[in-house]
Amino acid sequence: MRHGLRRLTGIKVITKKNGKRYIYRRVGTALHPLPDLPENHPEFLAAYAAAGTAPTRPRTRAAAGSIAELIERYLASSDYARMAPSSRAVWRRTLERIREKAGDALLRDLRPDHLRRDIRKLTHGAAANRLKAWRSILRFALDEGMIAADPSAGLRKPRGEVTPHRQWTPAEIEAYRDHWQPGTAERTAMEVIYWTGARCVDAARLGWQMVDSGGWLSYTQAKTHSPATCPVRTLPAWAQRMAQDHTHFRAALPGDRLQWIVTRSGKPRSVKGLSQWLSRAATAAGLPDDCTAHGLRKARASALAEAGATASQIGAWTGHQSLSEIAHYTRAADQKGILGAEQEQNTGNRVEKFPI
């Protein structure tokens, strides 16, 4: 007697208008994201099994109609599950703070002045994040019919300045290289992040397995789910002004393993651990405390601008999706370098690997 294959249960698939699919396993009231792969793929089965063993949240004890109930329903929703893991962690911490402070209050009694008072004493960055969190859960409440009107509608973002991650200067990059010689793990990590412009969440997993036969590194970003591509083995004609950085990058890459950034024992570094470890390495090299991994990402965007890259080329390399983002990260670029750079786009130069 033949037995058919058992189909996996609890699978939920959401397909957006642009064709992008999001796949989840429902365990109780929670949705756990799964990779967009065939159900018989080993990675899909592993993720499916892991979701089944994930700790489940206890059944809600929040009062019906309370802000705490809204937060619990939001954390179990597909809206929350669709976020990148790093974003979910930040969002959960923010929502937990809201629940600790106002969870017992009834949602129907929430007014705009309550929200203003909640964010008024926070720093600018914390206030902006708190307001984003309020808007997300209140939009969810509106869609779910829990409220008839959104009390966050019309609220303005708090005024003030956000101190961005500072871009590394060329002198700081050279000082780091002088301190950490080729062959050290610290040098490899810096060169990989600086050359690729990848966020730590992506840099931690980059390696030869992502380099194609043409010598191009291509990967999907964890935060935005959008692609990023940069040359590894050879440079396109327009990027020759970055040849020295490319030489440093190639010299730092390991030839005895697939993954580039690992611990001394050869294990992959955690995302948070990588960021903090690189900051400590910069401090050990005598650099200021604000020399961070994200500052290297900004330095690469600036170097691309000074090399004469088009906005499309910068975006394809670093993975930024909008012109406003690119402008933000290249604002500190050397204006003389930009004006003096060879503008390949005026000569009709195109690189097929980059989207137009």
Side-chain angles (χ1 to χ4, degrees):
M1 179 178 178
R2 294 183 62 184
H3 296 279
L5 294 175
R6 292 181 59 190
R7 290 191 59 82
L8 302 178
T9 59
I11 300 294
K12 179 179 179 66
V13 180
I14 298 175
T15 304
K16 307 296 286 185
K17 292 181 180 180
N18 60 3
K20 178 69 176 179
R21 296 201 321 160
Y22 297 90
I23 307 176
Y24 309 93
R25 178 179 180 181
R26 184 184 294 278
V27 180
T29 60
L31 291 176
H32 300 272
L34 301 175
D36 188 4
L37 296 169
E39 289 188 10
N40 61 350
H41 193 284
E43 291 185 20
F44 185 94
L45 293 173
Y48 180 88
T53 59
T56 57
R57 289 187 292 274
R59 297 183 65 86
T60 180
R61 294 182 180 179
S66 67
I67 293 174
E69 184 198 26
L70 166 61
I71 290 173
E72 290 188 1
R73 288 180 59 176
Y74 178 82
L75 291 175
S77 71
S78 59
D79 288 3
Y80 177 73
R82 279 198 298 269
M83 293 181 180
S86 57
S87 298
R88 288 202 300 269
V90 173
W91 227 235
R92 178 179 286 276
R93 288 195 295 269
T94 302
L95 292 176
E96 288 298 337
R97 294 188 185 102
I98 293 176
R99 175 155 46 187
E100 290 173 5
K101 185 175 181 179
D104 293 337
L106 292 178
L107 184 59
R108 70 188 181 195
D109 295 333
L110 188 63
R111 299 192 304 273
D113 58 303
H114 294 143
L115 301 180
R116 293 190 188 97
R117 284 199 296 268
D118 180 53
I119 67 176
R120 185 174 297 157
K121 295 182 180 180
L122 301 176
T123 63
H124 176 76
N129 288 335
R130 183 74 67 89
L131 182 56
K132 287 180 182 178
W134 274 117
R135 284 173 171 168
S136 292
I137 62 175
L138 291 172
R139 279 197 300 267
F140 174 79
L142 195 62
D143 292 341
E144 293 293 305
M146 300 176 70
I147 53 176
D150 181 357
S152 70
L155 286 184
R156 295 180 180 179
K157 292 182 180 179
R159 296 180 180 179
E161 292 290 334
V162 175
T163 303
H165 294 279
R166 185 179 64 81
Q167 175 183 315
W168 289 38
T169 67
E172 288 167 344
I173 291 170
E174 291 308 313
Y176 188 102
R177 286 170 172 164
D178 288 342
H179 184 86
W180 298 108
Q181 295 298 305
T184 61
E186 290 83 358
R187 178 66 176 272
T188 296
M190 187 281 283
E191 297 292 356
V192 168
I193 295 173
Y194 178 45
W195 180 254
T196 64
R199 300 179 182 88
C200 281
V201 68
D202 298 313
R205 60 190 175 89
L206 298 183
W208 291 112
Q209 73 278 9
M210 298 180 179
V211 180
D212 64 22
S213 58
W216 291 87
L217 170 73
S218 298
Y219 60 96
T220 300
Q221 299 175 101
K223 182 177 181 179
T224 63
H225 305 293
S226 58
T229 302
C230 72
V232 171
R233 293 196 173 92
T234 58
L235 288 177
W238 65 265
Q240 291 304 313
R241 291 187 57 173
M242 299 187 296
Q244 185 175 6
D245 282 343
H246 182 240
T247 298
H248 284 300
F249 166 66
R250 288 298 309 273
L253 295 182
D256 58 348
R257 63 177 184 268
L258 286 177
Q259 195 156 343
W260 292 336
I261 300 176
V262 296
T263 64
R264 297 187 189 281
S265 60
K267 296 181 179 179
R269 288 191 177 273
S270 68
V271 174
K272 186 175 182 180
L274 172 57
S275 176
Q276 295 175 344
W277 173 70
L278 189 93
S279 293
R280 290 195 298 269
T283 300
L287 302 185
D289 291 340
D290 58 354
C291 284
T292 64
H294 202 81
L296 286 172
R297 172 172 165 83
K298 295 180 71 172
R300 175 50 51 200
S302 178
L304 284 162
E306 292 181 13
T310 66
S312 293
Q313 288 166 339
I314 295 172
W317 188 305
T318 63
H320 290 104
Q321 296 179 283
S322 70
L323 292 177
S324 60
E325 285 182 298
I326 295 171
H328 173 77
Y329 282 106
T330 58
R331 191 169 297 141
D334 176 13
Q335 296 302 305
K336 291 183 180 178
I338 293 174
L339 294 174
E342 179 183 355
Q343 299 298 315
E344 297 280 353
Q345 63 269 33
N346 292 335
T347 64
N349 183 55
R350 296 288 184 184
V351 181
E352 293 182 0
K353 202 71 178 180
F354 290 138
I356 303 302

Tab-separated table of all heavy atoms in Angstrom, residues 115-169:
chain	number	residue	atom	x	y	z
A	115	LEU	N	-0.493	60.784	23.867
A	115	LEU	CA	0.681	60.406	23.080
A	115	LEU	C	1.756	61.482	23.172
A	115	LEU	O	2.951	61.172	23.275
A	115	LEU	CB	0.278	60.176	21.619
A	115	LEU	CG	-0.785	59.095	21.370
A	115	LEU	CD1	-1.083	58.974	19.883
A	115	LEU	CD2	-0.341	57.754	21.929
A	116	ARG	N	1.347	62.731	23.122
A	116	ARG	CA	2.322	63.831	23.227
A	116	ARG	C	3.060	63.774	24.558
A	116	ARG	O	4.275	63.949	24.609
A	116	ARG	CB	1.621	65.183	23.060
A	116	ARG	CG	1.063	65.443	21.672
A	116	ARG	CD	0.605	66.890	21.538
A	116	ARG	NE	-0.096	67.083	20.271
A	116	ARG	CZ	-1.412	67.054	20.127
A	116	ARG	NH1	-2.187	66.831	21.184
A	116	ARG	NH2	-1.968	67.238	18.954
A	117	ARG	N	2.320	63.531	25.632
A	117	ARG	CA	2.954	63.472	26.955
A	117	ARG	C	3.897	62.264	27.041
A	117	ARG	O	4.915	62.321	27.720
A	117	ARG	CB	1.896	63.402	28.060
A	117	ARG	CG	1.221	64.740	28.334
A	117	ARG	CD	0.558	64.737	29.710
A	117	ARG	NE	-0.521	63.760	29.791
A	117	ARG	CZ	-1.800	64.023	29.523
A	117	ARG	NH1	-2.145	65.241	29.113
A	117	ARG	NH2	-2.711	63.102	29.630
A	118	ASP	N	3.537	61.181	26.367
A	118	ASP	CA	4.361	59.975	26.424
A	118	ASP	C	5.735	60.190	25.801
A	118	ASP	O	6.733	59.644	26.280
A	118	ASP	CB	3.643	58.819	25.705
A	118	ASP	CG	4.453	57.541	25.738
A	118	ASP	OD1	4.860	57.129	26.831
A	118	ASP	OD2	4.707	56.968	24.660
A	119	ILE	N	5.807	60.987	24.735
A	119	ILE	CA	7.081	61.149	24.029
A	119	ILE	C	7.809	62.439	24.397
A	119	ILE	O	8.967	62.621	24.023
A	119	ILE	CB	6.865	61.108	22.501
A	119	ILE	CG1	6.060	62.320	22.032
A	119	ILE	CG2	6.186	59.819	22.086
A	119	ILE	CD1	5.900	62.389	20.516
A	120	ARG	N	7.144	63.323	25.160
A	120	ARG	CA	7.682	64.663	25.388
A	120	ARG	C	9.026	64.646	26.102
A	120	ARG	O	9.926	65.419	25.772
A	120	ARG	CB	6.669	65.490	26.192
A	120	ARG	CG	7.057	66.947	26.381
A	120	ARG	CD	5.920	67.690	27.056
A	120	ARG	NE	4.723	67.684	26.220
A	120	ARG	CZ	3.476	67.843	26.663
A	120	ARG	NH1	3.278	67.990	27.983
A	120	ARG	NH2	2.451	67.848	25.838
A	121	LYS	N	9.220	63.775	27.069
A	121	LYS	CA	10.443	63.787	27.871
A	121	LYS	C	11.550	62.911	27.296
A	121	LYS	O	12.630	62.825	27.879
A	121	LYS	CB	10.122	63.338	29.301
A	121	LYS	CG	9.195	64.300	30.042
A	121	LYS	CD	8.947	63.832	31.467
A	121	LYS	CE	8.030	64.793	32.202
A	121	LYS	NZ	7.772	64.364	33.607
A	122	LEU	N	11.312	62.265	26.182
A	122	LEU	CA	12.317	61.394	25.574
A	122	LEU	C	13.280	62.207	24.724
A	122	LEU	O	12.973	63.318	24.305
A	122	LEU	CB	11.641	60.329	24.709
A	122	LEU	CG	10.650	59.394	25.410
A	122	LEU	CD1	9.993	58.478	24.392
A	122	LEU	CD2	11.348	58.585	26.492
A	123	THR	N	14.449	61.647	24.478
A	123	THR	CA	15.377	62.281	23.539
A	123	THR	C	14.761	62.256	22.152
A	123	THR	O	13.807	61.510	21.891
A	123	THR	CB	16.720	61.543	23.510
A	123	THR	OG1	16.511	60.194	23.035
A	123	THR	CG2	17.352	61.509	24.895
A	124	HIS	N	15.331	63.058	21.243
A	124	HIS	CA	14.725	63.177	19.913
A	124	HIS	C	14.614	61.822	19.221
A	124	HIS	O	13.558	61.464	18.694
A	124	HIS	CB	15.541	64.131	19.054
A	124	HIS	CG	15.044	64.232	17.637
A	124	HIS	ND1	13.933	64.944	17.286
A	124	HIS	CD2	15.516	63.671	16.490
A	124	HIS	CE1	13.721	64.834	15.982
A	124	HIS	NE2	14.675	64.067	15.483
A	125	GLY	N	15.709	61.073	19.218
A	125	GLY	CA	15.682	59.779	18.530
A	125	GLY	C	14.713	58.810	19.166
A	125	GLY	O	13.950	58.122	18.470
A	126	ALA	N	14.716	58.720	20.503
A	126	ALA	CA	13.799	57.818	21.207
A	126	ALA	C	12.350	58.237	20.997
A	126	ALA	O	11.458	57.396	20.845
A	126	ALA	CB	14.144	57.789	22.691
A	127	ALA	N	12.092	59.558	20.989
A	127	ALA	CA	10.734	60.050	20.779
A	127	ALA	C	10.231	59.705	19.384
A	127	ALA	O	9.066	59.316	19.201
A	127	ALA	CB	10.687	61.559	20.996
A	128	ALA	N	11.108	59.829	18.379
A	128	ALA	CA	10.712	59.501	17.009
A	128	ALA	C	10.384	58.019	16.884
A	128	ALA	O	9.390	57.635	16.241
A	128	ALA	CB	11.828	59.890	16.042
A	129	ASN	N	11.194	57.161	17.513
A	129	ASN	CA	10.932	55.722	17.461
A	129	ASN	C	9.652	55.368	18.208
A	129	ASN	O	8.884	54.510	17.766
A	129	ASN	CB	12.112	54.950	18.059
A	129	ASN	CG	13.332	54.979	17.156
A	129	ASN	OD1	13.209	55.144	15.948
A	129	ASN	ND2	14.505	54.834	17.740
A	130	ARG	N	9.410	56.025	19.346
A	130	ARG	CA	8.191	55.747	20.101
A	130	ARG	C	6.959	56.135	19.297
A	130	ARG	O	5.956	55.409	19.278
A	130	ARG	CB	8.224	56.511	21.433
A	130	ARG	CG	7.034	56.253	22.359
A	130	ARG	CD	7.108	54.885	23.011
A	130	ARG	NE	8.227	54.799	23.929
A	130	ARG	CZ	8.187	55.124	25.209
A	130	ARG	NH1	7.067	55.588	25.746
A	130	ARG	NH2	9.252	54.988	25.978
A	131	LEU	N	7.025	57.288	18.613
A	131	LEU	CA	5.887	57.718	17.810
A	131	LEU	C	5.644	56.754	16.648
A	131	LEU	O	4.490	56.441	16.316
A	131	LEU	CB	6.118	59.138	17.284
A	131	LEU	CG	4.979	59.748	16.463
A	131	LEU	CD1	3.664	59.732	17.246
A	131	LEU	CD2	5.327	61.168	16.032
A	132	LYS	N	6.716	56.255	16.034
A	132	LYS	CA	6.562	55.264	14.965
A	132	LYS	C	5.848	54.013	15.491
A	132	LYS	O	4.983	53.439	14.815
A	132	LYS	CB	7.927	54.879	14.396
A	132	LYS	CG	8.573	55.936	13.527
A	132	LYS	CD	9.926	55.430	13.028
A	132	LYS	CE	10.633	56.484	12.196
A	132	LYS	NZ	11.979	56.016	11.736
A	133	ALA	N	6.237	53.585	16.678
A	133	ALA	CA	5.613	52.396	17.262
A	133	ALA	C	4.130	52.632	17.540
A	133	ALA	O	3.279	51.779	17.243
A	133	ALA	CB	6.345	52.016	18.550
A	134	TRP	N	3.800	53.778	18.117
A	134	TRP	CA	2.392	54.108	18.362
A	134	TRP	C	1.603	54.095	17.056
A	134	TRP	O	0.500	53.543	16.983
A	134	TRP	CB	2.284	55.488	19.016
A	134	TRP	CG	2.398	55.515	20.505
A	134	TRP	CD1	3.356	56.133	21.254
A	134	TRP	CD2	1.499	54.915	21.449
A	134	TRP	NE1	3.124	55.954	22.590
A	134	TRP	CE2	1.982	55.221	22.747
A	134	TRP	CE3	0.329	54.164	21.329
A	134	TRP	CZ2	1.337	54.778	23.902
A	134	TRP	CZ3	-0.316	53.737	22.486
A	134	TRP	CH2	0.191	54.041	23.749
A	135	ARG	N	2.166	54.723	16.017
A	135	ARG	CA	1.450	54.786	14.742
A	135	ARG	C	1.226	53.391	14.158
A	135	ARG	O	0.164	53.099	13.593
A	135	ARG	CB	2.228	55.659	13.760
A	135	ARG	CG	2.101	57.152	14.051
A	135	ARG	CD	3.001	57.973	13.166
A	135	ARG	NE	2.717	59.408	13.313
A	135	ARG	CZ	3.489	60.362	12.838
A	135	ARG	NH1	4.603	60.063	12.191
A	135	ARG	NH2	3.150	61.633	13.016
A	136	SER	N	2.208	52.518	14.288
A	136	SER	CA	2.070	51.163	13.737
A	136	SER	C	0.964	50.379	14.431
A	136	SER	O	0.127	49.759	13.777
A	136	SER	CB	3.400	50.412	13.864
A	136	SER	OG	4.376	50.963	13.025
A	137	ILE	N	0.962	50.401	15.766
A	137	ILE	CA	-0.049	49.598	16.463
A	137	ILE	C	-1.433	50.221	16.340
A	137	ILE	O	-2.440	49.498	16.308
A	137	ILE	CB	0.328	49.380	17.946
A	137	ILE	CG1	0.418	50.697	18.711
A	137	ILE	CG2	1.627	48.606	18.049
A	137	ILE	CD1	0.662	50.513	20.214
A	138	LEU	N	-1.505	51.548	16.217
A	138	LEU	CA	-2.818	52.182	16.084
A	138	LEU	C	-3.389	51.989	14.677
A	138	LEU	O	-4.616	51.868	14.522
A	138	LEU	CB	-2.728	53.658	16.452
A	138	LEU	CG	-2.479	53.916	17.948
A	138	LEU	CD1	-2.197	55.384	18.221
A	138	LEU	CD2	-3.677	53.429	18.790
A	139	ARG	N	-2.524	51.958	13.664
A	139	ARG	CA	-3.011	51.606	12.316
A	139	ARG	C	-3.537	50.175	12.309
A	139	ARG	O	-4.557	49.872	11.684
A	139	ARG	CB	-1.890	51.764	11.292
A	139	ARG	CG	-1.670	53.193	10.818
A	139	ARG	CD	-0.859	53.230	9.539
A	139	ARG	NE	0.453	52.617	9.715
A	139	ARG	CZ	1.546	53.294	10.045
A	139	ARG	NH1	1.488	54.600	10.265
A	139	ARG	NH2	2.700	52.675	10.181
A	140	PHE	N	-2.812	49.298	12.999
A	140	PHE	CA	-3.255	47.905	13.113
A	140	PHE	C	-4.611	47.842	13.824
A	140	PHE	O	-5.517	47.111	13.398
A	140	PHE	CB	-2.211	47.096	13.876
A	140	PHE	CG	-2.617	45.689	14.191
A	140	PHE	CD1	-2.558	44.702	13.228
A	140	PHE	CD2	-3.071	45.358	15.472
A	140	PHE	CE1	-2.942	43.395	13.515
A	140	PHE	CE2	-3.456	44.058	15.772
A	140	PHE	CZ	-3.391	43.075	14.792
A	141	ALA	N	-4.755	48.606	14.921
A	141	ALA	CA	-6.019	48.626	15.658
A	141	ALA	C	-7.160	49.129	14.786
A	141	ALA	O	-8.285	48.612	14.841
A	141	ALA	CB	-5.879	49.507	16.905
A	142	LEU	N	-6.879	50.123	13.951
A	142	LEU	CA	-7.903	50.663	13.048
A	142	LEU	C	-8.319	49.610	12.028
A	142	LEU	O	-9.509	49.410	11.769
A	142	LEU	CB	-7.348	51.904	12.351
A	142	LEU	CG	-8.343	52.824	11.635
A	142	LEU	CD1	-9.340	53.417	12.616
A	142	LEU	CD2	-7.593	53.933	10.897
A	143	ASP	N	-7.333	48.914	11.452
A	143	ASP	CA	-7.632	47.871	10.467
A	143	ASP	C	-8.417	46.712	11.080
A	143	ASP	O	-9.239	46.087	10.399
A	143	ASP	CB	-6.331	47.333	9.860
A	143	ASP	CG	-5.619	48.369	8.990
A	143	ASP	OD1	-6.286	49.339	8.574
A	143	ASP	OD2	-4.411	48.209	8.738
A	144	GLU	N	-8.146	46.429	12.355
A	144	GLU	CA	-8.799	45.304	13.029
A	144	GLU	C	-10.149	45.694	13.631
A	144	GLU	O	-10.825	44.855	14.236
A	144	GLU	CB	-7.889	44.757	14.134
A	144	GLU	CG	-6.614	44.108	13.630
A	144	GLU	CD	-6.887	42.832	12.862
A	144	GLU	OE1	-7.565	41.938	13.436
A	144	GLU	OE2	-6.441	42.734	11.699
A	145	GLY	N	-10.524	46.966	13.496
A	145	GLY	CA	-11.806	47.405	14.030
A	145	GLY	C	-11.813	47.600	15.530
A	145	GLY	O	-12.882	47.662	16.148
A	146	MET	N	-10.635	47.734	16.132
A	146	MET	CA	-10.560	47.938	17.578
A	146	MET	C	-10.808	49.394	17.958
A	146	MET	O	-11.165	49.689	19.100
A	146	MET	CB	-9.188	47.481	18.098
A	146	MET	CG	-8.886	46.012	17.842
A	146	MET	SD	-7.200	45.540	18.356
A	146	MET	CE	-7.354	45.627	20.150
A	147	ILE	N	-10.586	50.324	17.006
A	147	ILE	CA	-10.862	51.748	17.224
A	147	ILE	C	-11.521	52.303	15.968
A	147	ILE	O	-11.368	51.742	14.868
A	147	ILE	CB	-9.572	52.549	17.536
A	147	ILE	CG1	-8.509	52.309	16.455
A	147	ILE	CG2	-9.029	52.204	18.915
A	147	ILE	CD1	-7.241	53.131	16.649
A	148	ALA	N	-12.235	53.383	16.143
A	148	ALA	CA	-12.924	54.002	15.005
A	148	ALA	C	-12.093	55.104	14.374
A	148	ALA	O	-12.303	55.459	13.211
A	148	ALA	CB	-14.270	54.572	15.459
A	149	ALA	N	-11.132	55.667	15.121
A	149	ALA	CA	-10.273	56.740	14.607
A	149	ALA	C	-8.889	56.602	15.228
A	149	ALA	O	-8.743	56.130	16.360
A	149	ALA	CB	-10.867	58.112	14.930
A	150	ASP	N	-7.883	57.004	14.485
A	150	ASP	CA	-6.491	56.883	14.923
A	150	ASP	C	-6.080	58.151	15.674
A	150	ASP	O	-5.958	59.219	15.071
A	150	ASP	CB	-5.592	56.662	13.708
A	150	ASP	CG	-4.131	56.501	14.074
A	150	ASP	OD1	-3.783	56.611	15.260
A	150	ASP	OD2	-3.317	56.270	13.150
A	151	PRO	N	-5.834	58.077	16.990
A	151	PRO	CA	-5.449	59.284	17.743
A	151	PRO	C	-4.059	59.811	17.416
A	151	PRO	O	-3.718	60.927	17.805
A	151	PRO	CB	-5.538	58.826	19.203
A	151	PRO	CG	-5.393	57.356	19.150
A	151	PRO	CD	-6.011	56.918	17.862
A	152	SER	N	-3.250	59.017	16.678
A	152	SER	CA	-1.914	59.505	16.313
A	152	SER	C	-1.925	60.300	15.014
A	152	SER	O	-0.918	60.919	14.653
A	152	SER	CB	-0.938	58.336	16.172
A	152	SER	OG	-1.225	57.554	15.016
A	153	ALA	N	-3.064	60.299	14.313
A	153	ALA	CA	-3.153	61.030	13.056
A	153	ALA	C	-2.974	62.524	13.320
A	153	ALA	O	-3.579	63.094	14.213
A	153	ALA	CB	-4.502	60.778	12.390
A	154	GLY	N	-2.117	63.135	12.539
A	154	GLY	CA	-1.885	64.561	12.682
A	154	GLY	C	-0.778	64.931	13.642
A	154	GLY	O	-0.357	66.097	13.691
A	155	LEU	N	-0.282	63.979	14.431
A	155	LEU	CA	0.822	64.283	15.346
A	155	LEU	C	2.105	64.505	14.549
A	155	LEU	O	2.404	63.768	13.619
A	155	LEU	CB	1.040	63.137	16.336
A	155	LEU	CG	0.014	62.971	17.455
A	155	LEU	CD1	0.451	61.858	18.382
A	155	LEU	CD2	-0.171	64.260	18.227
A	156	ARG	N	2.851	65.528	14.911
A	156	ARG	CA	4.092	65.831	14.222
A	156	ARG	C	5.269	65.098	14.858
A	156	ARG	O	5.255	64.810	16.058
A	156	ARG	CB	4.364	67.335	14.260
A	156	ARG	CG	3.342	68.168	13.509
A	156	ARG	CD	3.705	69.645	13.598
A	156	ARG	NE	2.740	70.486	12.892
A	156	ARG	CZ	2.825	71.799	12.833
A	156	ARG	NH1	3.825	72.427	13.449
A	156	ARG	NH2	1.918	72.495	12.168
A	157	LYS	N	6.263	64.836	14.043
A	157	LYS	CA	7.478	64.253	14.579
A	157	LYS	C	8.137	65.257	15.521
A	157	LYS	O	8.070	66.460	15.288
A	157	LYS	CB	8.459	63.910	13.453
A	157	LYS	CG	7.999	62.788	12.545
A	157	LYS	CD	9.050	62.494	11.500
A	157	LYS	CE	8.595	61.358	10.584
A	157	LYS	NZ	9.605	61.059	9.535
A	158	PRO	N	8.752	64.787	16.584
A	158	PRO	CA	9.400	65.714	17.523
A	158	PRO	C	10.528	66.476	16.857
A	158	PRO	O	11.249	65.940	16.008
A	158	PRO	CB	9.929	64.789	18.629
A	158	PRO	CG	10.040	63.447	17.981
A	158	PRO	CD	8.914	63.392	16.976
A	159	ARG	N	10.678	67.735	17.222
A	159	ARG	CA	11.749	68.543	16.670
A	159	ARG	C	13.066	68.226	17.371
A	159	ARG	O	13.089	67.807	18.515
A	159	ARG	CB	11.432	70.028	16.837
A	159	ARG	CG	10.208	70.483	16.062
A	159	ARG	CD	9.959	71.966	16.281
A	159	ARG	NE	8.789	72.424	15.543
A	159	ARG	CZ	8.349	73.670	15.569
A	159	ARG	NH1	8.989	74.576	16.297
A	159	ARG	NH2	7.276	74.004	14.869
A	160	GLY	N	14.133	68.469	16.647
A	160	GLY	CA	15.438	68.230	17.238
A	160	GLY	C	16.378	67.616	16.233
A	160	GLY	O	15.996	67.294	15.101
A	161	GLU	N	17.594	67.447	16.635
A	161	GLU	CA	18.615	66.894	15.765
A	161	GLU	C	18.953	65.477	16.198
A	161	GLU	O	19.118	65.190	17.377
A	161	GLU	CB	19.895	67.750	15.818
A	161	GLU	CG	19.728	69.132	15.200
A	161	GLU	CD	19.586	69.083	13.692
A	161	GLU	OE1	20.091	68.117	13.098
A	161	GLU	OE2	18.982	70.004	13.128
A	162	VAL	N	19.046	64.584	15.230
A	162	VAL	CA	19.519	63.230	15.486
A	162	VAL	C	20.992	63.170	15.097
A	162	VAL	O	21.364	63.563	13.993
A	162	VAL	CB	18.725	62.192	14.656
A	162	VAL	CG1	19.302	60.805	14.850
A	162	VAL	CG2	17.266	62.219	15.058
A	163	THR	N	21.829	62.699	16.006
A	163	THR	CA	23.248	62.590	15.698
A	163	THR	C	23.487	61.313	14.907
A	163	THR	O	23.339	60.208	15.448
A	163	THR	CB	24.087	62.566	16.990
A	163	THR	OG1	23.813	63.744	17.738
A	163	THR	CG2	25.566	62.485	16.668
A	164	PRO	N	23.810	61.413	13.635
A	164	PRO	CA	23.985	60.214	12.822
A	164	PRO	C	25.332	59.555	13.087
A	164	PRO	O	26.214	60.138	13.722
A	164	PRO	CB	23.919	60.759	11.397
A	164	PRO	CG	24.466	62.144	11.515
A	164	PRO	CD	24.036	62.653	12.872
A	165	HIS	N	25.475	58.325	12.614
A	165	HIS	CA	26.776	57.674	12.677
A	165	HIS	C	27.755	58.484	11.831
A	165	HIS	O	27.479	58.800	10.676
A	165	HIS	CB	26.681	56.244	12.141
A	165	HIS	CG	25.840	55.343	12.999
A	165	HIS	ND1	26.331	54.752	14.146
A	165	HIS	CD2	24.558	54.942	12.880
A	165	HIS	CE1	25.383	54.020	14.698
A	165	HIS	NE2	24.298	54.117	13.951
A	166	ARG	N	28.897	58.801	12.409
A	166	ARG	CA	29.855	59.638	11.697
A	166	ARG	C	30.647	58.821	10.692
A	166	ARG	O	31.091	57.709	10.966
A	166	ARG	CB	30.817	60.307	12.696
A	166	ARG	CG	31.776	61.296	12.036
A	166	ARG	CD	32.675	61.947	13.063
A	166	ARG	NE	33.553	60.989	13.715
A	166	ARG	CZ	34.693	60.533	13.177
A	166	ARG	NH1	35.064	60.932	11.970
A	166	ARG	NH2	35.449	59.678	13.844
A	167	GLN	N	30.834	59.402	9.532
A	167	GLN	CA	31.626	58.777	8.475
A	167	GLN	C	33.110	58.785	8.847
A	167	GLN	O	33.637	59.777	9.336
A	167	GLN	CB	31.413	59.558	7.174
A	167	GLN	CG	32.266	59.109	6.007
A	167	GLN	CD	32.013	59.995	4.810
A	167	GLN	OE1	30.860	60.282	4.498
A	167	GLN	NE2	33.070	60.440	4.159
A	168	TRP	N	33.785	57.656	8.630
A	168	TRP	CA	35.223	57.602	8.878
A	168	TRP	C	35.953	58.502	7.882
A	168	TRP	O	35.581	58.585	6.708
A	168	TRP	CB	35.755	56.187	8.719
A	168	TRP	CG	35.365	55.218	9.789
A	168	TRP	CD1	34.156	55.141	10.425
A	168	TRP	CD2	36.171	54.169	10.326
A	168	TRP	NE1	34.153	54.110	11.321
A	168	TRP	CE2	35.377	53.483	11.290
A	168	TRP	CE3	37.460	53.724	10.085
A	168	TRP	CZ2	35.855	52.392	12.001
A	168	TRP	CZ3	37.940	52.630	10.798
A	168	TRP	CH2	37.142	51.979	11.758
A	169	THR	N	37.019	59.144	8.336
A	169	THR	CA	37.856	59.944	7.433
A	169	THR	C	38.918	59.049	6.809
A	169	THR	O	39.250	57.981	7.357
A	169	THR	CB	38.543	61.079	8.201
A	169	THR	OG1	39.490	60.502	9.127
A	169	THR	CG2	37.529	61.929	8.964
